[in-house]
Amino acid sequence: MTFKYDVIVVGAGHAGCEAACAAANLGSKTLLITMDMNKIAQMSCNPAIGGIAKGQIVREIDALGGNTGIVTDKTAIQFRMLNRSKGPAMWSPRAQSDREKFIHTWREIIENTDNLYLWQDSVKELVIKNNTVTGVLTNMDVQFSAKSVVITSGTFMNGLIHIGKTQLRGGRISEPASYGITEQLSELGITVGRMKTGTPVRIDGRSVHFELMAEQLGENDFHKFSYLDFEPRKLKQQSCWATYTNEEVHRILRQGLPDSPLFNGQIKSIGPRYCPSIETKIVTFPDKTEHQLFLEPEGETTREFYLNGFSSSLPLEIQLNALQKIPAFKDIQIYRPGYAIEYDYFDPTQLLHNLETKKIKNLFFAGQVNGTTGYEEAAGQGIIAGINAHINCHGGNPFILARNEAYIGVLIDDLVTKGVDEPYRMFTSRAEYRILLRQDDADMRLTEKSYNLGLASTQRHSLLIEKKEHINHLIEFAKNYSVKPQYINSGLEQLGTSPLKQGIKLIDLILRPQLSISKIAELIPALHKEIDKIKNRKDEIIEATEIRIKYEGYIDREKMIADKISRLENIRIKGKFDYNSIKQLSTEARQKLDKIDPETIAQAARIPGISPSDINILLVLSGR
């Protein structure tokens, strides 16, 4: 018996959940297959969402109509806006979540999404006919047919866990690995590689001397991840705690290096450079006498803590002995040691920008199977894969975000154009249009696109229109309202800024770095009255307005640069050339252009190893 669906999503991690919900909400009959329905959207590593550039991705997912931001807000036990000391292009939201409540909240959403169904099982084989995927076969020998299939298996494909010399087969501790898909796709010509990631020890908070650590409190202002969430945080807010390793800790860790899978040849795959294990840190930085560690709560009521900065695959006794040399952990009790895990991934240059594979039609990859690391990067790919899987079923143009439209666009373009030689992690530095891709305006950039597609709800769209109207009204008011010195100078002096010598427009006052709209509103009743007209998300709208005013010159300049570059994005070259026959191109250019077959001249220019002279040749051949 074969059960029929439009879209099948394999794996219910962060990518899989977003993919399945997107496809179902767009109208596709969708099946989400997971090995354990009690581990949906499990936070395998850090119980946190967001951070530098990652927080921007989550706001973009929310602006598109996804759920990661909503779930995070509902389960947050600490929230912070990182990089406040820098410009707004660098501000990045981050939240600690209650791990168990995060799972339960996601499952509640999935089970109440129309067109979305669950099946608990493992997929062992894809059904492929004439280079087109038509369904899956599970370990229970149940066959499901589908018009599109999305693979979001995370670290489970041929997963192998390392704790010292001990090796355990699994996709996560105490959870079985998945077998079959890698081998099948490899035989069909899909390039497969191995990567490595890791996770730290989990600590029993009852054994920690918190009085010997520095407390890090969260923030409780208006900032959230979801543009739909106006409610106060419901869970009890928790603190994080900071401490440091020391030379004695490092001495014990060095003693364990001969038994470290990372250094004795047991692990041969590549790990994330930007999230190194503690043993990698002491080898890479031998002169450093201490490394900062952060103890982070796993939930509102649990006593389990995550030790950020101490990822390790060293033997259990080495991890434990080293930790005991940190004063706050002298009486430490742990729930489990840190471990490393190796897993299969697919070279992402084998994908189109809609995340469909080039060799097998209607087959999509999203998440860590594309060589990325992080919940946010996975979820961002997931929602795009889910949207495009639906489009492949029902018709329409691929939904693709450009580099100047979203961090998600930067992420996917980097993957399919440049590939990966280590687990890919998003940073603000990867985006050339950071000022345009701020966390405060993800809805302004993306919600209209998603609403036109049919994914973003009417509520989201209405809130967007309302927000735009308020921002535009406040800007126009500031441009036209005149401020007289006699009415405001005493207040300006109290705020530490120079008094006026003559009347000016309100917008010129807002441009002063010492002043904010909220501070000025206390001095100007007319401005206060205009602000009072805002009913929903008042603080968010004021902040967005102020950013638009203060950074208008930078924003406009970056838009102009993006517009110039976009001209190259409009010169389509996919399928037009036999690159191997163009002898004017360098050998490296011929090989890489043939492998990736870029969509546009602009994408070709971003391929590593393609020189400006190679691009000029392509422009000439394109008649430009």
Side-chain angles (χ1 to χ4, degrees):
M1 182 179 224
T2 301
F3 301 90
K4 295 182 179 181
Y5 293 87
D6 293 320
V7 176
I8 292 175
V9 179
V10 181
H14 303 269
C17 288
E18 288 291 3
C21 285
N25 283 323
L26 284 167
S28 284
K29 184 181 179 183
T30 304
L31 180 68
L32 178 59
I33 301 177
T34 176
M35 287 193 282
D36 189 343
M37 290 171 57
N38 296 313
K39 297 288 177 63
I40 287 173
Q42 165 76 297
M43 300 171 109
S44 307
C45 200
N46 194 347
I49 291 289
I52 307 301
K54 293 168 174 279
Q56 283 89 326
I57 290 176
V58 177
R59 295 221 87 189
E60 290 173 355
I61 293 167
D62 184 75
L64 288 169
N67 292 290
T68 298
I70 293 171
V71 174
T72 303
D73 287 341
K74 286 184 177 181
T75 61
I77 53 176
Q78 189 190 88
F79 185 95
R80 294 175 66 197
M81 183 66 75
L82 306 183
N83 280 344
R84 281 184 186 269
S85 62
K86 301 180 181 179
M90 305 297 287
W91 297 353
S92 301
R94 182 184 187 274
Q96 295 289 135
S97 280
D98 184 302
R99 183 189 300 275
E100 292 300 318
K101 290 184 173 68
F102 194 91
I103 293 170
H104 297 153
T105 304
W106 251 118
R107 179 165 172 176
E108 183 179 358
I109 289 172
I110 287 169
E111 290 189 316
N112 287 281
T113 296
D114 291 342
N115 302 315
L116 181 51
Y117 305 90
L118 279 164
W119 180 260
Q120 185 166 309
D121 203 345
S122 179
V123 172
K124 64 180 179 181
E125 184 181 332
L126 301 174
V127 181
I128 298 171
K129 298 176 182 177
N130 300 320
N131 291 326
T132 301
V133 69
T134 61
V136 303
L137 181 66
T138 74
N139 280 351
M140 295 183 190
D141 288 326
V142 180
Q143 186 163 322
F144 297 97
S145 71
K147 299 172 185 175
S148 296
V149 174
V150 186
I151 303 295
T152 64
S153 302
T155 61
F156 281 77
M157 290 192 300
N158 291 316
L160 182 63
I161 293 168
H162 301 264
I163 307 171
K165 293 182 179 179
T166 301
Q167 294 183 329
L168 306 168
R169 296 197 173 276
R172 208 159 34 212
I173 197 74
S174 301
E175 297 182 51
S178 173
Y179 303 100
I181 293 177
T182 297
E183 294 77 8
Q184 179 189 12
L185 291 178
S186 180
E187 289 180 3
L188 292 171
I190 299 290
T191 302
V192 180
R194 293 283 278 177
M195 281 191 175
K196 168 261 171 189
T197 189
T199 191
V201 60
R202 301 307 199 272
I203 290 173
D204 186 337
R206 295 172 297 179
S207 67
V208 175
H209 292 271
F210 289 99
E211 71 278 7
L212 300 178
M213 305 181 79
E215 186 174 13
Q216 292 190 321
L217 297 169
E219 301 167 358
N220 198 28
D221 64 5
F222 69 91
H223 289 103
K224 296 281 186 72
F225 277 105
S226 178
Y227 291 98
L228 297 181
D229 192 352
F230 315 138
E231 300 297 322
R233 295 185 177 89
K234 300 219 172 18
L235 302 186
K236 181 180 178 182
Q237 299 300 285
Q238 305 290 319
S239 294
C240 294
W241 305 83
T243 187
Y244 290 86
T245 62
N246 53 52
E247 291 181 316
E248 183 64 11
V249 173
H250 296 181
R251 182 188 66 80
I252 294 172
L253 293 172
R254 288 190 187 97
Q255 288 179 347
L257 289 179
D259 293 323
S260 167
L262 291 176
F263 295 99
N264 65 10
Q266 188 173 310
I267 290 178
K268 296 181 173 60
S269 51
I270 301 169
R273 188 189 347 168
Y274 302 105
C275 188
S277 65
I278 189 65
E279 54 263 43
T280 300
K281 290 179 186 177
I282 64 170
V283 171
T284 306
F285 308 103
D287 298 329
K288 197 163 185 179
T289 59
E290 62 181 21
H291 292 282
Q292 192 169 28
L293 306 175
F294 298 94
L295 196 63
E296 302 174 347
E298 294 264 345
E300 182 184 25
T301 58
T302 181
R303 301 305 297 159
E304 184 178 359
F305 282 80
Y306 172 100
L307 189 59
N308 197 340
F310 205 85
S311 178
S312 180
S313 59
L314 285 164
L316 166 60
E317 60 273 17
I318 296 294
Q319 294 187 43
L320 196 54
N321 290 342
L323 286 170
Q324 288 171 342
K325 299 303 179 183
I326 298 172
F329 301 147
K330 59 187 177 183
D331 298 315
I332 192 121
Q333 294 288 322
I334 68 173
Y335 290 115
R336 69 168 186 265
Y339 63 86
I341 180 168
E342 289 185 285
Y343 56 94
D344 293 338
Y345 80 99
F346 305 115
D347 178 357
T349 62
Q350 301 169 106
L351 299 175
L352 302 170
H353 275 81
N354 66 350
L355 296 180
E356 182 183 13
T357 64
K358 294 176 180 177
K359 291 192 175 181
I360 302 172
K361 186 169 176 53
N362 295 334
L363 178 63
F364 296 79
F365 296 155
Q368 281 185 274
V369 297
N370 287 337
T372 62
T373 182
Y375 313 135
E376 304 83 2
E377 290 89 343
Q381 294 171 71
I383 194 168
I384 299 300
I387 289 170
N388 284 298
H390 164 82
I391 289 171
N392 273 27
C393 293
H394 302 282
N397 295 320
F399 185 77
I400 297 168
L401 297 175
R403 295 180 72 91
N404 64 331
E405 291 178 322
Y407 271 94
I408 296 173
V410 175
L411 164 66
I412 293 174
D413 184 63
D414 278 354
L415 292 175
V416 305
T417 301
K418 302 175 182 178
V420 291
D421 55 14
E422 63 180 329
Y424 180 104
R425 179 179 180 179
M426 180 53 74
F427 294 101
T428 51
S429 59
R430 295 193 190 271
E432 57 269 52
Y433 306 114
R434 292 187 291 278
I435 297 174
L436 301 182
L437 307 183
R438 306 181 311 276
Q439 62 84 32
D440 65 275
D441 76 335
D443 55 342
M444 309 281 274
R445 291 182 274 122
L446 301 176
T447 296
E448 187 80 35
K449 290 176 177 290
S450 184
Y451 178 74
N452 292 336
L453 190 70
L455 181 56
S457 66
T458 301
Q459 180 191 12
R460 284 188 184 278
H461 191 243
S462 298
L463 288 170
L464 171 66
I465 293 172
E466 181 184 71
K467 180 178 178 179
K468 283 182 177 180
E469 289 175 348
H470 282 307
I471 290 173
N472 291 335
H473 176 75
L474 285 176
I475 290 174
E476 285 302 308
F477 179 82
K479 285 179 178 178
N480 295 313
Y481 187 83
S482 297
V483 181
K484 306 297 183 185
Q486 61 266 35
Y487 299 120
I488 199 169
N489 275 350
S490 61
L492 292 178
E493 289 174 347
Q494 290 177 5
L495 292 173
T497 187
S498 57
L500 301 180
K501 294 181 180 179
Q502 60 186 26
I504 62 172
K505 295 298 183 183
L506 173 59
I507 196 165
D508 295 317
L509 206 57
I510 295 172
L511 286 170
R512 292 191 180 188
Q514 308 95 331
L515 299 179
S516 66
I517 289 177
S518 296
K519 288 179 180 178
I520 297 171
E522 295 176 4
L523 307 177
I524 301 177
L527 177 58
H528 195 283
K529 183 178 178 181
E530 294 302 316
I531 289 173
D532 274 349
K533 294 177 182 178
I534 304 170
K535 302 304 179 186
N536 293 318
R537 299 181 296 169
K538 182 180 296 185
D539 292 326
E540 179 188 325
I541 289 169
I542 292 171
E543 180 182 84
T545 304
E546 191 166 307
I547 290 170
R548 283 268 300 275
I549 291 173
K550 288 182 180 289
Y551 293 87
E552 181 182 23
Y554 299 101
I555 293 169
D556 288 346
R557 187 188 316 155
E558 200 154 274
K559 282 181 179 176
M560 183 178 67
I561 295 170
D563 288 343
K564 287 182 179 179
I565 298 297
S566 70
R567 297 170 193 168
L568 296 181
E569 298 284 5
N570 293 328
I571 305 175
R572 305 194 66 80
I573 58 174
K574 185 175 178 63
K576 287 188 176 181
F577 302 119
D578 176 8
Y579 295 108
N580 288 319
S581 68
I582 305 175
K583 301 306 179 185
Q584 300 97 319
L585 295 171
S586 67
T587 301
E588 181 179 9
R590 291 199 301 270
Q591 292 171 346
K592 290 188 172 179
L593 289 167
D594 182 66
K595 176 186 176 183
I596 294 174
D597 192 13
E599 296 279 346
T600 65
I601 291 283
Q603 187 192 356
R606 292 191 291 270
I607 300 173
I610 305 299
S611 69
S613 63
D614 294 322
I615 295 302
N616 284 333
I617 290 166
L618 294 178
L619 283 169
V620 170
L621 293 173
S622 301
R624 303 297 174 123

